Structure formats: structure tokens, C-alpha cells
Amino acid sequence: MKIVIIILVLNLVINLIATFSFAARIAGIRTGKIALAFSLFNILNVISRTANGFQALLLANYVEKTIDADLDNTTLIFRMILLSFTIATVIGIVLTPSVQRIFHRAILEFYQVKTFGKMMGSFLRKEQFWQKVKSYSVLPQWTNWRMLQGQENYPWKIFILNMLATAILSVGVIASVYAGYLNPTYRSTASNLSALINGFSTIILFIFIDPYLSILTDQFMSKEISESRFRFNISFMMISRLLGTVLAQALLIPAAQVIAFVSNQM
């Protein structure tokens, strides 16, 4: 059970950071220093990728021990892991206004001091740290979400593609490892198939989602759209991400069965 708890914590970190990418984008357009915003976010992204590597390793280790012990609650554990994706995304959405303010301040300080170490040292200074955290903390305002009802012409194709890409990314490693539980003889092959699954979802993100967000950012910077319209689109992207983590629950068993079948045929 200790391994499962560590996996759940790592998943919380991974999905929180993924959701915070939207906060980094908002902070970037508000400061006008978009490149610097993404440079700072990439530092967090390195942490996320490292945590993802440990998560996959621990998950594979858990499955091997489960096969040996012949436990019956394996499916429940995997669904709990997927549920942690959804919980982390909800937490990330709630914290986005606060994180956006933190990114905003970090970008301005980094621009002044020029080094990440000095910027972190300034922010983490003990006598000011909790005061800063308190000043940056704010909950999402209901009035901001009400504006979603009055907007039109939202690109629903992007919404659906982002939801599908999130679902596939969420379930890719989980389903591959779970397929190894269903078909222990070929669990190594099944585990390696996760790279192909994640590659497909990454293609969707790089071809459709990232260009759309980039165009949206450029439109705001050139005053073609208002900040409220920009934030509306970002809010919808966060909602589609949340729905994608929910959809991953429905994809878990079918995806694992397909992967187990394919690994048996290779």
C-alpha cells in the first residue's frame, strides 16, 4: 500500500503542474514576457517529467508484486490512480488564480535578478514567505465562470480533441501496465506499448492544441481579442482537461484489453 500512496502523490504533482501551464500562459500575457513565463514553467515541467518516470517505475513494480500475490483489488487501485488525476486537475483549477499571481511576481523578479537561484531566494525568504503566500492566495470568482455562459463561437473541435488527448495521456501508461497484469507473459511488451499510445496523444497536442493556444496568445498580444475572451478560452481548455481525466476511467479496461491482445500478437 505504501507504493500506491507514493504513486498517488506523484500523480497529484504531475497533474497539478500540467494544469498550472494555463496559469503560466495567463501570467505571461499579463506581463508581456511570454518566453520568460514558459522558461520558468519548463523548470516545473522537468519536475513533472521526473515524477512521471518514477511513477511508471513504481507502478510496474506494484503490478509485478500483485501478480505474485494474486491480489483481487488491482482494478480498484488503478481506478484510484486515475481518480487522482481528476482530483489534481480540480485542485489545479481552484489554485490557478493564486498560481497565476505567483507566476506573475516570479516573472517580474526573474526579469530583474536574471538568475533562478536569486529569484527563489527572494521569494522564499522566511520573514516574507508566508506574507507573500497569503497575499497571492485567492479563490476563483464565480463571476469569472458566469461569463462562460454568454460566449459563442467556441471551437468545440479543439475542446473535444484536448479532452481526448488528455484522456489518452492519462490512461496510456496506466492501461499498458494494467495490460501486463491481465497478460503477465507479455507484460514487458505491453508496458513498452505505452510510448506509442502517448505518442499519438502528443501528436494531437502538438498539431492541434498548442498551435491554437499560441494563436490565441498572439491574438491577445496584438489586441485582436480581449483579456476576458482569452481567459474564457483558457477556462474552457481547463474544463476539457478535467473531462478528459474522467473519460480516462471509461477507457481503462478497453484500452488495457486491446494492449494485452496486441502484445500477445506481436
Side-chain angles (χ1 to χ4, degrees):
M1 196 62 186
K2 183 179 178 181
I3 292 179
V4 174
I5 294 173
I6 295 174
I7 292 172
L8 292 175
V9 171
L10 289 174
N11 283 328
L12 283 171
V13 172
I14 293 165
N15 286 273
L16 274 175
I17 291 175
T19 307
F20 289 161
S21 65
F22 297 110
R25 193 175 291 271
I26 294 172
I29 64 108
R30 283 194 161 184
T31 58
K33 297 175 174 58
I34 298 173
L36 185 55
F38 281 105
S39 178
L40 283 176
F41 175 75
N42 283 337
I43 296 172
L44 289 179
N45 206 29
V46 169
I47 298 174
S48 174
R49 290 178 182 274
T50 304
N52 195 41
F54 277 113
Q55 177 248 24
L57 179 64
L58 290 173
L59 197 56
N61 179 262
Y62 171 78
V63 166
E64 290 178 355
K65 292 181 178 179
T66 300
I67 292 171
D68 294 337
D70 195 25
L71 299 178
D72 296 326
N73 63 343
T74 303
T75 303
L76 177 62
I77 296 297
F78 276 77
R79 292 207 177 276
M80 285 175 57
I81 293 170
L82 288 176
L83 179 61
S84 72
F85 292 2
T86 304
I87 293 172
T89 304
V90 171
I91 295 173
I93 291 173
V94 172
L95 292 180
T96 291
S98 301
V99 174
Q100 178 260 311
R101 292 185 175 195
I102 293 172
F103 266 114
H104 188 283
R105 182 60 185 171
I107 291 166
L108 295 179
E109 287 198 15
F110 195 27
Y111 188 76
Q112 293 296 323
V113 300
K114 302 294 190 296
T115 64
F116 180 75
K118 287 183 178 180
M119 184 270 292
M120 288 299 297
S122 173
F123 186 81
L124 296 175
R125 198 169 293 144
K126 185 180 293 185
E127 64 271 17
Q128 299 178 2
F129 178 72
W130 292 114
Q131 182 180 352
K132 288 181 179 179
V133 170
K134 185 177 180 180
S135 66
Y136 295 144
S137 298
V138 59
L139 291 174
Q141 298 295 315
W142 172 242
T143 53
N144 293 335
W145 290 96
R146 283 175 59 187
M147 71 179 181
L148 301 181
Q149 300 175 2
Q151 299 285 349
E152 299 177 354
N153 301 322
Y154 184 78
W156 289 103
K157 183 175 76 172
I158 298 295
F159 182 92
I160 293 171
L161 285 172
N162 188 55
M163 183 176 69
L164 289 174
T166 300
I168 295 169
L169 272 175
S170 298
V171 83
V173 174
I174 308 297
S176 297
V177 176
Y178 187 60
Y181 171 77
L182 297 177
N183 190 359
T185 304
Y186 296 97
R187 62 178 179 268
S188 179
T189 303
S191 179
N192 287 325
L193 283 173
S194 65
L196 293 176
I197 299 170
N198 289 342
F200 176 72
S201 59
T202 301
I203 290 172
I204 296 176
L205 289 173
F206 284 164
I207 292 179
F208 298 103
I209 310 304
D210 283 352
Y212 168 73
L213 290 174
S214 297
I215 291 171
L216 200 65
T217 303
D218 287 340
Q219 285 179 330
F220 173 79
M221 296 302 295
S222 61
K223 309 298 183 183
E224 295 179 41
I225 60 173
S226 64
E227 182 177 342
S228 62
R229 181 69 189 184
F230 179 85
R231 293 175 70 89
F232 158 75
N233 282 273
I234 293 297
S235 298
F236 248 70
M237 294 299 287
M238 288 192 287
I239 292 173
S240 70
R241 175 176 174 77
L242 175 62
L243 293 177
T245 64
V246 176
L247 178 61
Q249 292 279 0
L251 295 179
L252 174 61
I253 302 300
Q257 290 174 339
V258 169
I259 293 170
F261 173 79
V262 171
S263 62
N264 194 38
Q265 302 302 312
M266 296 180 70

